[in-house]
Amino acid sequence: MSPKNVIFKKICKDKSVGVYMGKRDFVDRVDSVDPVDGVILVDPEALQGRKVFVTLSCTFRYGRDDMDVMGIAFRRELYLSTRQVYPPLQDREKGIHTKIQARLLRKLGHNAYPFFFEFPDNLPCSVALQPAPHDVGKQCAVEFEIKAFSAESQDAKVRKRSTVKLMLRKVQYAPEGEGTAPSVETTRDFVMSDKPLHVKASLDKEIYYHGETIKVHVNVTNNSSKNIKNIILSVDQVATVVLYSNDSYVKCVDIEDSGDSVSPGATLQKVYKLLPVLANNRERRGIALDGKLKHEDTNLASTSIIREGVLKEVMGIMVSYRVMVKLIVGGSVSHSTFQTNIICSLLAAPPRSDLFKV
């Protein structure tokens, strides 16, 4: 097998069942989703006549397992599909769907059997709310998992020693097309001022990659008698837990306090730069992240894209972004704020790195 091919492998404690997969990230391109495929290796002697099953599950967790109250678990199973792989219910060759499966079967021998799942249209992508540094236990998250186990039947009690689990990620990628660069324009009238304050904010493109600077073009025409004391720009992430409460968490993931001022009758045209990345937000509790596999890094969560006809309530955690331009308007006694927002989306574009879509 080529050294370029990375194989993910995990074997249960009693050595009766092992899982082999060529990848753990599966891409959702809105109109299609990568299927889940792999190979199960069995030890007939260790099985002692038991059957082997494999399941693909999607779970929404909103509390630790040890927080169960009156038998009610803080988790909800959004999807569960089970296949029997041993004894096989069909010819082994007919179960091969990918080249990696064929190579694994050749390498592992006659006790290896393929499995294959297709995601339904209505499942969310992997996302988790970042815990605080001192938090322990499972985090609030949408998680995907492959589980292989041996048992007398599908519904029989399963022993931990005969079970192996492998976490997966379902990752949202951006749909193709550049889109239209967003722009927002607004006017503010003031008491005791004959003319208004006019503000226009725009971005130079719709899609930005993680690590790429977002340029915000701001035009201010201050025909009022008010003095603009400061201009503050930020990128906000809005995460809404839609499955059980509709609670929303708004977190600023980057901010620019410019200190720029605009006198009455003056104008300002300037390009400001913002860089929303996880590296600057690692210690902040409640920020939504793309699903994280053990020992691997992740990034700010991708914007939730819902296929037509799918209810948003089954998405678990909905994520969106906005760029905010705030003007601090001063008067003779006090000051007020004036702001405008541009709705944003954080997505990923194959085959390159993740992207920021606005």
Side-chain angles (χ1 to χ4, degrees):
M1 195 173 291
S2 170
K4 294 182 180 180
N5 291 323
V6 177
I7 299 299
F8 299 95
K9 167 180 99 167
K10 199 169 183 182
I11 300 174
C12 66
K13 289 184 178 180
D14 67 6
K15 311 295 184 183
S16 63
V17 180
V19 177
Y20 293 75
M21 300 185 70
K23 62 180 181 179
R24 297 172 69 180
D25 284 348
F26 299 89
V27 178
D28 185 341
R29 298 178 178 84
V30 183
D31 58 347
S32 66
V33 185
D34 290 347
V36 178
D37 64 280
V39 167
I40 300 294
L41 180 64
V42 303
D43 184 342
E45 291 186 9
L47 286 175
Q48 299 178 344
R50 299 191 302 272
K51 299 177 180 179
V52 176
F53 302 89
V54 61
T55 65
L56 171 65
S57 64
C58 174
T59 303
F60 176 58
R61 186 188 305 277
Y62 47 100
R64 302 197 307 268
D65 289 338
D66 59 1
M67 291 175 59
D68 291 1
V69 178
M70 298 179 63
I72 301 175
F74 284 81
R75 61 196 301 274
R76 178 172 170 180
E77 207 163 68
L78 301 180
Y79 177 74
L80 178 67
S81 180
T82 304
R83 306 271 194 274
Q84 178 180 317
V85 294
Y86 180 83
L89 300 180
Q90 63 174 354
D91 183 74
R92 193 174 80 150
E93 299 303 316
K94 292 183 179 179
I96 300 174
H97 291 81
T98 63
K99 292 180 179 179
I100 190 66
Q101 281 182 316
R103 290 198 294 266
L104 283 170
L105 290 173
R106 285 196 300 269
K107 184 176 180 66
L108 297 174
H110 296 295
N111 290 326
Y113 299 89
F115 66 85
F116 184 85
F117 293 94
E118 291 185 305
F119 286 105
D121 294 340
N122 61 342
L123 288 185
C125 289
S126 300
V127 62
L129 297 184
Q130 180 168 258
H134 60 271
D135 287 348
V136 296
K138 296 278 189 177
Q139 56 193 349
C140 179
V142 174
E143 299 174 330
F144 290 85
E145 180 183 78
I146 279 287
K147 180 175 78 172
F149 62 93
S150 61
E152 300 296 333
S153 67
Q154 180 177 329
D155 300 321
K157 186 176 180 180
V158 180
R159 300 182 302 177
K160 277 192 174 182
R161 290 178 53 81
S162 304
T163 303
V164 58
K165 300 177 181 179
L166 202 60
M167 298 297 297
L168 311 178
R169 282 194 304 188
K170 182 169 175 275
V171 184
Q172 183 74 68
Y173 274 25
E176 294 182 359
E178 290 296 323
T180 304
S183 176
V184 174
E185 218 172 328
T186 187
T187 299
R188 174 79 174 268
D189 292 303
F190 299 97
V191 178
M192 308 294 293
S193 180
D194 294 335
K195 295 182 179 180
L197 166 66
H198 183 77
V199 179
K200 180 179 180 181
S202 62
L203 304 177
D204 52 3
K205 58 180 180 178
E206 184 180 13
I207 295 175
Y208 293 86
Y209 293 91
H210 280 298
E212 182 182 4
T213 301
I214 299 174
K215 296 180 180 179
V216 186
H217 300 257
V218 177
N219 295 334
V220 178
T221 303
N222 187 12
N223 293 321
S224 72
S225 59
K226 301 290 185 178
N227 182 43
I228 309 302
K229 293 187 173 183
N230 196 7
I231 299 176
I232 302 172
L233 297 92
S234 64
V235 179
D236 292 342
Q237 181 195 75
V238 183
T240 304
V241 183
V242 296
L243 192 61
Y244 70 93
S245 67
N246 263 335
D247 290 342
S248 289
Y249 304 89
V250 180
K251 301 288 183 180
C252 174
V253 291
D254 194 40
I255 189 167
E256 170 68 21
D257 190 339
S258 70
D260 290 335
S261 60
V262 185
S263 303
T267 62
L268 172 74
Q269 294 187 8
K270 189 172 180 178
V271 179
Y272 297 93
K273 297 178 180 180
L274 295 167
L275 184 61
V277 291
L278 177 58
N280 300 330
N281 295 279
R282 290 192 183 278
E283 304 299 319
R284 302 189 58 208
R285 185 177 187 270
I287 287 180
L289 312 176
D290 274 345
K292 182 179 180 180
L293 300 176
K294 194 175 183 181
H295 306 311
E296 291 187 18
D297 203 2
T298 185
N299 48 253
L300 295 174
S302 300
T303 294
S304 304
I305 299 180
I306 307 176
R307 188 179 298 192
E308 187 175 352
V310 174
L311 296 175
K312 70 175 184 179
E313 286 75 14
V314 303
M315 301 303 288
I317 302 173
M318 296 282 293
V319 180
S320 61
Y321 292 85
R322 68 191 182 198
V323 172
M324 184 169 70
V325 180
K326 180 186 292 185
L327 279 64
I328 309 300
V329 182
S332 57
V333 179
S334 62
H335 68 269
S336 60
T337 61
F338 172 49
Q339 68 185 45
T340 183
N341 299 329
I342 309 174
I343 302 302
C344 315
S345 300
L346 184 63
L347 298 168
R352 296 169 290 177
S353 59
D354 295 337
L355 57 83
F356 194 89
K357 179 187 174 188
V358 182

